[in-house]
Amino acid sequence: MLYRKWGNESDFVIRFTSSWDKDRKMVEEVKLVMLVHVLELTRVGALDRKLSARVVKSLEEFEMEGEGYEDVHEGLEAFLIDRIGQEAGAIGLGRSRNDHVATALRIRMRSSVLELLKLILELRRTALSRAKDSIHILFPTFTHLQQAQPSTFAHYMLHIDEELSTIWQSLFCSLKSLNRSPLGAGATVGTQVPLDRIREAKALGFDDVLVNSLSASSSRLDLLQVSSMLTLYVLTLSRFAEDLVVYSTLGIIELPDTHVSTSSLMPQKRNPVTAEVARAKASDAIGHLVALFTNYKGLPTGYNLDLQEMNPHYWELSDIAINTTIVLEDIVKHLKVKENSVEGFLSPYTLATDEAERRALGGVPYRTAHAKVASEVSQGIFSPTINFQQSISLKRVVGSPSPTVLSKDLERGWRRLEEDEENYTRYRTAVEERLKSVEEWKNELLR
Ligand code: ARG
């Protein structure tokens, strides 16, 4: 116990208020932030070079062992003092856990967002490849979960790509506010030590600093922004998961064996378990987002320990988004469209709209044609003049399943994907390049 000097600490209170176990998720980031702080203290002459070199070496050996600490920051400082002696307490100058946790949290979030962005790009690539191979593969569309009009599987896959790219762009943009460094903001108003916050930010891979020290030490707006995006993303995946359940139930797709499980009693069952769990994970995600929002609502400006309780919700949310993406990508890659079943499944009545449109284009008011075809359908005397493939080919507008139109949309999808991949790689490389400067800085000190 390093920070509670009055000596009345009780186990159950520490256990209740400590974030020690939850902090494991960002221990490496906490060490990195401490490293940069120590290097900067040394650079400005506030820390003795020899002592600093010893701290830097010991820092590498820190592992989260033991218990009774309020958090990883206390555990780390106690470890360094234990290793080096009381003089290691010098590293407490010019820093607060408030700016340190805010910084480590951002670095950890940046990694998880980058990981997820990469996985979504892979999922988009898979969806586009499936679209490319299924331009002529018949598939139903539904409104109100009733058969609507004939389409193709490629068209459905391009829908998935469209949704994913929309979210991808927003998530990628959120890096802009997320990737700013709070380090150097101290507990609330900065410090007398002339730390170069911009230099520290660069060494930690940030694009910029989160300027105002109150914001830097106590804002979680960016965490909420990313969490909202993650939740929207998982919600989108849950609709897709539901489609997989419905389509496999209707027998028009076959889910890969690895993603279905049987019943312990009913031998014929192929239950779409992966898709069901994916669907349910979205509820957990909403729960975490609601917890984050309600935690943040009405919090007074400046650091409050409530903020600590937000972190684990973010870890969970991010794991849900990442893991759901991985399993769904595997399903998209391996599912089969059962073409014969689709033929048998599609009702000829899904051609009723084409018939009404044909008559309307021939001069009959659409409302009249609509009523006439509806009455033919209800009397059971409707007989289509075209087949499903012809119906699909007749569609003219951008975004429709007609092979000539869809091929262009597919091209557009590939171009958009390649552009996003390039932007992603450029961004990631820039972050990694900046991070390399810490090593150089460290070696300079240790020389
Ligand atoms: N463990 C806290 C967190 O994760 C940081 C500690 C801030 N504590 C304090 N007394 N100011 O947010």
Side-chain angles (χ1 to χ4, degrees):
M1 195 57 43
L2 193 62
Y3 301 142
R4 297 199 185 199
K5 290 299 182 209
W6 47 91
N8 62 348
E9 63 268 13
S10 14
D11 279 4
F12 68 94
V13 176
I14 297 296
R15 247 181 284 123
F16 184 72
T17 53
S18 169
S19 60
W20 175 253
D21 268 328
K22 307 272 166 53
D23 289 345
R24 287 181 196 283
K25 279 268 191 186
M26 53 176 171
V27 56
E28 289 312 315
E29 289 77 8
V30 166
K31 285 161 74 172
L32 180 64
V33 174
M34 179 61 94
L35 170 65
V36 168
H37 173 67
V38 168
L39 292 171
E40 181 61 6
L41 277 184
T42 317
R43 193 187 68 83
V44 302
L47 195 67
D48 170 70
R49 263 189 105 81
K50 277 207 189 102
L51 174 59
S52 170
R54 289 171 68 197
V55 171
V56 167
K57 282 215 182 93
S58 302
L59 196 51
E60 282 167 10
E61 288 152 26
F62 174 69
E63 274 168 33
M64 290 185 72
E65 284 159 0
E67 50 186 41
Y69 299 111
E70 288 185 5
D71 52 28
V72 61
H73 312 279
E74 184 181 40
L76 174 59
E77 202 176 326
F79 170 84
L80 293 173
I81 290 174
D82 186 54
R83 273 291 162 100
I84 299 167
Q86 285 304 322
E87 67 261 43
I91 59 158
L93 178 64
R95 70 177 280 270
S96 154
R97 285 180 285 173
N98 301 353
D99 65 333
H100 272 228
V101 71
T103 310
L105 176 65
R106 259 74 173 190
I107 298 173
R108 186 69 180 71
M109 283 171 65
R110 179 180 69 206
S111 306
S112 63
V113 169
L114 284 171
E115 184 185 353
L116 179 62
L117 284 169
K118 179 104 182 45
L119 289 168
I120 303 178
L121 287 173
E122 280 165 28
L123 177 54
R124 284 169 58 187
R125 185 163 276 281
T126 305
L128 289 176
S129 309
R130 294 296 317 242
K132 181 167 154 257
D133 297 335
S134 56
I135 293 177
H136 299 284
I137 294 185
L138 204 56
F139 209 67
T141 60
F142 300 84
T143 63
H144 310 266
L145 202 49
Q146 294 181 12
Q147 290 199 42
Q149 294 186 268
S151 180
T152 60
F153 189 65
H155 189 231
Y156 180 68
M157 280 293 116
L158 287 191
H159 153 65
I160 298 299
D161 176 62
E162 186 94 64
E163 300 300 282
L164 295 177
S165 353
T166 305
I167 290 182
W168 193 93
Q169 311 280 347
S170 315
L171 193 56
F172 188 63
C173 282
S174 66
L175 278 170
K176 227 184 151 117
S177 39
L178 168 66
N179 201 20
R180 292 179 299 168
S181 173
L183 193 61
T188 174
V189 293
T191 165
Q192 297 181 40
V193 189
L195 303 172
D196 181 346
R197 290 191 59 201
I198 296 170
R199 189 185 165 100
E200 290 178 321
K202 189 169 165 270
L204 292 168
F206 288 105
D207 298 333
D208 204 347
V209 287
L210 181 47
V211 177
N212 182 278
S213 63
L214 272 170
S215 300
S217 56
S218 74
S219 174
R220 294 294 184 271
L221 263 186
D222 49 1
L223 180 142
L224 290 176
Q225 189 187 354
V226 172
S227 300
S228 305
M229 287 318 308
L230 295 184
T231 309
L232 280 182
Y233 171 61
V234 181
L235 283 190
T236 303
L237 294 186
S238 80
R239 291 191 75 185
F240 178 40
E242 166 69 356
D243 286 347
L244 295 174
V245 173
V246 172
Y247 299 162
S248 63
T249 299
L250 295 175
I252 54 178
I253 62 167
E254 185 179 293
L255 294 173
D257 289 349
T258 45
H259 291 280
V260 297
S261 135
T262 191
S263 152
S264 59
L265 183 66
M266 301 168 283
Q268 84 283 11
K269 295 298 293 296
R270 281 176 58 87
N271 299 327
V273 289
T274 306
E276 288 173 323
V277 172
R279 197 170 55 181
K281 290 287 183 195
S283 328
D284 295 350
I286 295 168
H288 291 299
L289 187 69
V290 171
L292 288 167
F293 279 174
T294 45
N295 180 315
Y296 204 67
K297 183 201 163 286
L299 265 194
T301 293
Y303 186 87
N304 304 271
L305 203 55
D306 310 49
L307 295 175
Q308 157 185 296
E309 300 302 298
M310 293 175 81
N311 304 348
H313 289 292
Y314 178 78
W315 314 142
E316 293 288 331
L317 197 43
S318 150
D319 284 352
I320 289 173
I322 287 172
N323 295 331
T324 312
T325 310
I326 294 172
V327 290
L328 287 185
E329 197 271 339
D330 195 56
I331 297 189
V332 178
K333 194 179 276 164
H334 296 112
L335 70 78
K336 292 197 185 82
V337 179
K338 293 163 85 177
E339 294 182 56
N340 291 338
S341 307
V342 174
E343 285 273 356
F345 171 80
L346 262 179
S347 156
Y349 293 154
T350 58
L351 297 168
T353 312
D354 287 305
E355 184 56 27
E357 283 190 348
R358 188 181 69 82
R359 294 181 199 182
L361 288 170
V364 184
Y366 188 77
R367 202 46 58 215
T368 311
H370 182 283
K372 186 78 190 359
V373 175
S375 128
E376 288 169 23
V377 168
S378 66
Q379 290 171 66
I381 55 169
F382 170 71
S383 117
T385 50
I386 53 171
N387 62 28
F388 298 132
Q389 294 293 357
Q390 286 166 325
S391 155
I392 292 164
S393 303
L394 282 172
K395 301 298 175 291
R396 297 280 179 77
V397 300
V398 169
S400 61
S402 144
T404 41
V405 173
L406 188 137
S407 303
K408 289 197 192 113
D409 293 346
L410 183 58
E411 280 290 305
R412 209 192 306 236
W414 281 119
R415 275 202 303 277
R416 181 167 58 187
L417 175 65
E418 274 152 24
E419 237 170 67
D420 288 348
E421 281 173 342
E422 268 170 39
N423 288 334
Y424 175 83
T425 309
R426 196 173 312 123
Y427 190 85
R428 196 180 175 130
T429 314
V431 170
E432 281 162 4
E433 280 303 314
R434 276 178 234 142
L435 279 169
K436 279 188 199 153
S437 67
V438 193
E439 279 306 302
E440 289 159 20
W441 196 358
K442 188 171 101 181
N443 294 337
E444 219 172 274
L445 173 90
L446 295 179
R447 240 190 292 128

